[in-house]
Amino acid sequence: MLNWSKYSIRNRLFIIFIVIQILIIGLSFYYFTDNHRDFYFNQLKISLENYAHLILEEKGAVLLNTPADELEEMVLNWGRHTGARITIVDKEGKVLADSRYDISKMDNHKNRPEISAVFSGEEKGELIRESDTLEEKMLYLSFPITSSAGETAGVLRLARSLSFIRGVLIEDIKSYLVFFFVLAVLTILLTWRLTSTVIYPLEKITETAANIAEGDFSQRIPARRYSSEIEKLAEMFNFMTDKLEKKIDEMSSEKNKMATILNSMIDGVIATDRKHRIVLINPAAKDIFKIKKDNIKGKELIASVFSHRIDMYLEEALREKRTITREIIYQNPDKVIMQATFSPIFEEDGSISGGIIVFTDITELRKLETVRNDFVANVSHELRTPLTSIIGYVNTLLDNDIDDPEIREKFLKIVKTEADRLSILIKDLFNLSKIESSTPDLKAENLKKVIDKTINLLIDRAEKKDIIIEKEIEVDLPPVYMVKEQIEQVMINLIDNAIKYTQDNGKIKVSAYKKEDRIYVEVEDNGIGVPREEQDRVFERFYRVDKARSSSLGGTGIGLSIVKNIIKQHGSEINLESREGEGSRFIFSLKIAK
């Protein structure tokens, strides 16, 4: 048993110090390892939740209606900003976009626990499990994408690997080991060597205070070495240093958090002083206003964004001491439509120290509104024309006693023609809506049989105009993934259009050939062609190059839009090559079945 009385005071202090150091190190390891693990995990959850809310508030149900290419680009950008894996899933469980993996290789996610939890009505789904796709343990958070009707139309899922937490903890433990080892060695040596005089401790206190004043907050005074008076002074000095260091760390942490939030925001943010000089600007704002310089703090707002209107609205908000919102069209050089919110920054005494401006890019929203309005207008116009004709002739038959059977028959034929046109239009609209809202069940099918069948259906129509249909189909074409009925519809639309817009004695060529892992199909004619300025719009709904000719030929203006959507659903795209007066060629491809 240890005979404590045999040891000198110095040895006693030394032993006590060693024991205390061991306890501190042991408890610190336990505390830091356990608490830091919880801290990093909670921070990860909070970060993912905050970013998910930002995405949903910004985009919401628009995500599910966003074109695949654009949605994929958005998800990739979000993934790069957050370091998280981001997945968009519709209500059927189909993966619409994923920032880490090819969605064509991903199976249905409806039964994934974190996603099924959202579909079952929970506010969010949370789960830690090993990813079936990436084969690593990850934290999954899922949130509902709510439609305008308040229903869950899809799921936004964010995931982050937990491996980085283990890595951070290991690095922390290494740092703590080095820190405690160095601290223990230094304090042991100091404890052993320091004298009990007063001058040296005071000199040490003075030296330590100077180091702290220069910013080295790791300095502490070993209080146990001195007399009681010096010890109390040293303890109070260390306490003051701890408090000061804690306050500075808190301020630094808050500053870093604010910088991280601003840098990750999609919206542009600019803060100014009372004289409209920039004091803060985030990367999104620099992108909006094409600002290349890294440091523009202190420069005038109007000289940086080149917009008198923005400067004027900021002054209005500062003068009236209230927040105002304005829609601004900015050209630099591309046209950008922004919703800008101008708010004053108040001091504690109520005075205004500056202002803050938040810019939200609503360009795409306005484009979508324009597309929607155009579609409604086009549908109304296309339905109104045959209905007006039908009502007119029916009223004529009802209001006039027409005895001539030839006139009655003529009127009734016109009514039937318009009714048939209306029926075809409604049928095309229904087919287009059905194609856009459904997920195709692609199967391995024989493409040559589909082409042969389509040509046989339309050969009589071509012969009436003495048009020759040539086939150039590569021998032994392999099966392709497709919905046979939909590809038949594509071929009928393309060949029928070629017949309609090719003069008598013309020629149509249908080709199919293998290239890499796809089969390419071409439908080429030597008809009237499409003007260059019209080629980008031929696949729009209700768009006709020659409206009078299209109407006389019975076209609804939806056929090529249906074609484009079918090919898109098959994971490809259709392209047009045309010269006015020389003919057109439509090209698309289908993936070879394995």
Side-chain angles (χ1 to χ4, degrees):
M1 186 174 179
L2 183 64
N3 190 353
W4 191 249
S5 60
K6 292 182 179 181
Y7 291 92
S8 65
I9 294 176
R10 174 173 287 184
N11 289 337
R12 290 179 188 179
L13 292 175
F14 186 78
I15 293 172
I16 291 172
F17 181 76
I18 292 297
V19 172
I20 291 174
Q21 288 284 7
I22 292 173
L23 289 175
I24 289 174
I25 291 173
L27 292 173
S28 297
F29 277 161
Y30 174 78
Y31 173 82
F32 285 123
T33 302
D34 188 59
N35 284 275
H36 277 206
R37 183 185 296 109
D38 292 342
F39 172 78
Y40 288 131
F41 183 77
N42 289 332
Q43 288 300 308
L44 176 61
K45 284 175 57 179
I46 291 171
S47 175
L48 293 179
E49 287 178 358
N50 288 342
Y51 206 85
H53 291 318
L54 285 174
I55 293 173
L56 292 174
E57 288 174 5
E58 176 66 19
K59 296 297 181 180
V62 177
L63 290 170
L64 302 176
N65 299 322
T66 302
D69 292 341
E70 183 180 343
L71 183 60
E72 182 181 2
E73 183 64 26
M74 290 166 58
V75 167
L76 288 173
N77 285 335
W78 294 334
R80 283 194 292 269
H81 283 307
T82 62
R85 178 186 177 189
I86 300 177
T87 309
I88 307 294
V89 181
D90 66 14
K91 64 181 180 180
E92 301 300 330
K94 179 187 176 184
V95 178
L96 301 180
D98 190 280
S99 64
R100 294 276 186 86
Y101 204 76
D102 185 355
I103 62 173
S104 65
K105 298 179 181 179
M106 298 174 70
D107 56 9
N108 192 285
H109 276 43
K110 191 169 187 177
N111 294 324
R112 297 293 168 92
E114 68 277 9
I115 292 178
S116 62
V118 174
F119 283 127
S120 64
E122 295 183 18
E123 291 184 1
K124 70 175 183 179
E126 178 181 333
L127 186 67
I128 296 174
R129 64 175 177 83
E130 184 167 339
S131 170
D132 295 333
T133 304
L134 301 178
E135 297 182 353
E136 57 180 307
K137 197 170 185 180
M138 303 184 77
L139 167 65
Y140 289 92
L141 291 178
S142 300
F143 301 87
I145 300 174
T146 307
S147 67
S148 58
E151 299 177 349
T152 299
V155 172
L156 168 66
R157 185 182 75 178
L158 289 84
R160 187 76 184 269
S161 173
L162 298 181
S163 60
F164 87 97
I165 294 181
R166 291 194 296 272
V168 171
L169 288 175
I170 290 172
E171 291 300 318
D172 286 350
I173 290 172
K174 290 179 181 178
S175 299
Y176 294 145
L177 280 172
V178 173
F179 174 78
F180 283 118
F181 176 79
V182 172
L183 181 63
V185 170
L186 289 176
T187 50
I188 289 171
L189 291 174
L190 288 172
T191 303
W192 190 259
R193 288 179 175 273
L194 286 176
T195 67
S196 59
T197 62
V198 175
I199 296 177
Y200 184 77
L202 291 176
E203 289 177 347
K204 185 62 181 177
I205 290 174
T206 303
E207 181 185 347
T208 304
N211 290 334
I212 292 173
E214 292 176 0
D216 185 5
F217 291 97
S218 64
Q219 296 289 324
R220 296 293 184 273
I221 299 172
R224 289 181 178 273
R225 308 182 70 180
Y226 312 130
S227 62
S228 59
E229 292 80 5
I230 300 298
E231 181 180 347
K232 289 180 181 178
L233 176 61
E235 287 177 350
M236 292 306 298
F237 188 88
N238 290 340
F239 177 75
M240 178 191 69
T241 304
D242 289 337
K243 287 287 187 181
L244 183 60
E245 183 179 14
K246 185 177 180 180
K247 288 292 184 183
I248 292 175
D249 287 343
E250 288 177 356
M251 292 172 62
S252 178
S253 177
E254 289 299 320
K255 181 179 179 182
N256 291 335
K257 288 178 183 177
M258 182 62 69
T260 301
I261 292 171
L262 287 173
N263 289 338
S264 63
M265 285 180 64
I266 298 175
D267 293 342
V269 178
I270 298 178
T272 70
D273 61 15
R274 188 62 184 85
K275 295 182 179 180
H276 298 203
R277 291 177 299 206
I278 295 174
V279 297
L280 181 148
I281 183 169
N282 72 340
K286 286 186 177 181
D287 290 341
I288 291 173
F289 297 105
K290 301 294 188 294
I291 297 173
K292 303 296 184 182
K293 296 180 180 179
D294 292 331
N295 186 14
I296 63 167
K297 291 182 180 179
K299 294 188 177 181
E300 293 186 358
L301 177 66
I302 193 170
S304 299
V305 303
F306 303 105
S307 173
H308 174 72
R309 191 176 297 275
I310 293 175
D311 193 66
M312 180 184 67
Y313 288 146
L314 176 61
E315 180 58 33
E316 179 183 346
L318 299 181
R319 184 178 62 254
E320 298 183 4
K321 296 184 178 181
R322 65 183 181 91
T323 298
I324 61 173
T325 301
R326 297 288 186 270
E327 187 169 303
I328 297 172
I329 298 176
Y330 187 78
Q331 198 93 21
N332 188 25
D334 299 327
K335 179 180 178 182
V336 179
I337 304 174
M338 298 180 292
Q339 180 175 290
T341 302
F342 302 82
S343 302
I345 301 174
F346 294 97
E347 296 289 354
E348 292 183 359
D349 60 359
S351 63
I352 294 176
S353 61
I356 187 166
I357 316 169
V358 179
F359 299 96
T360 302
D361 190 342
I362 58 173
T363 306
E364 291 303 319
L365 178 62
R366 291 291 180 263
K367 287 181 180 179
L368 290 173
E369 289 177 353
T370 301
V371 171
R372 182 190 61 188
N373 293 336
D374 289 346
F375 177 71
V376 172
N378 286 330
V379 170
S380 300
H381 174 74
E382 294 294 334
L383 292 175
R384 188 187 303 115
T385 302
L387 282 174
T388 301
S389 180
I390 290 171
I391 292 170
Y393 281 104
V394 169
N395 286 337
T396 301
L397 289 171
L398 291 174
D399 296 340
N400 299 281
D401 188 12
I402 300 175
D403 296 326
D404 191 337
E406 290 185 3
I407 295 178
R408 283 203 307 271
E409 184 178 357
K410 177 183 178 183
F411 282 8
L412 289 174
K413 284 182 178 179
I414 294 173
V415 170
K416 184 180 184 305
T417 299
E418 294 297 336
D420 289 342
R421 178 183 169 194
L422 189 62
S423 175
I424 293 171
L425 176 60
I426 293 172
K427 181 181 177 182
D428 283 349
L429 283 171
F430 175 77
N431 287 338
L432 181 58
S433 176
K434 183 178 178 181
I435 290 167
E436 289 180 335
S437 61
S438 65
T439 301
D441 181 17
L442 303 181
K443 297 179 180 179
E445 300 283 358
N446 189 319
L447 179 61
K448 182 178 183 302
K449 290 183 178 180
V450 172
I451 295 174
D452 289 340
K453 179 180 178 181
T454 306
I455 292 174
N456 290 335
L457 287 172
L458 299 171
I459 192 66
D460 290 341
R461 193 176 301 175
E463 289 176 350
K464 289 179 180 179
K465 296 179 67 175
D466 293 323
I467 294 174
I468 299 172
I469 299 180
E470 293 183 355
K471 288 191 300 182
E472 191 174 294
I473 300 175
E474 197 172 283
V475 179
D476 297 329
L477 282 180
V480 295
Y481 290 119
M482 65 176 174
V483 179
K484 185 169 64 174
E485 293 76 13
Q486 290 186 354
I487 298 303
E488 285 178 0
Q489 188 175 3
V490 168
M491 295 304 299
I492 289 173
N493 268 304
L494 294 178
I495 298 175
D496 185 54
N497 278 349
I499 294 172
K500 287 178 180 178
Y501 297 102
T502 299
Q503 302 90 339
D504 292 356
N505 301 308
K507 185 174 72 172
I508 298 171
K509 182 180 178 182
V510 180
S511 307
Y513 55 89
K514 178 181 177 183
K515 185 178 180 182
E516 296 178 350
D517 63 341
R518 307 187 74 85
I519 299 297
Y520 286 80
V521 180
E522 298 182 4
V523 177
E524 183 179 2
D525 64 63
N526 59 352
I528 63 174
V530 179
R532 180 181 295 275
E533 63 273 12
E534 309 282 349
Q535 291 179 17
D536 291 336
R537 302 193 62 190
V538 294
F539 295 103
E540 293 180 11
R541 300 169 185 173
F542 300 111
Y543 187 80
R544 301 184 180 97
V545 177
D546 186 343
K547 294 179 175 56
R549 183 184 180 96
S550 297
S551 297
S552 66
L553 293 173
T556 63
I558 304 178
L560 287 179
S561 182
I562 292 174
V563 167
K564 179 182 178 181
N565 279 277
I566 289 176
I567 298 303
K568 185 177 180 181
Q569 292 277 36
H570 282 67
S572 183
E573 59 181 23
I574 185 166
N575 297 309
L576 168 63
E577 298 175 0
S578 182
R579 287 190 178 182
E580 189 174 6
E582 296 182 14
S584 304
R585 177 167 60 178
F586 290 87
I587 308 166
F588 67 91
S589 66
L590 297 171
K591 189 173 181 61
I592 296 173
K594 296 181 180 178

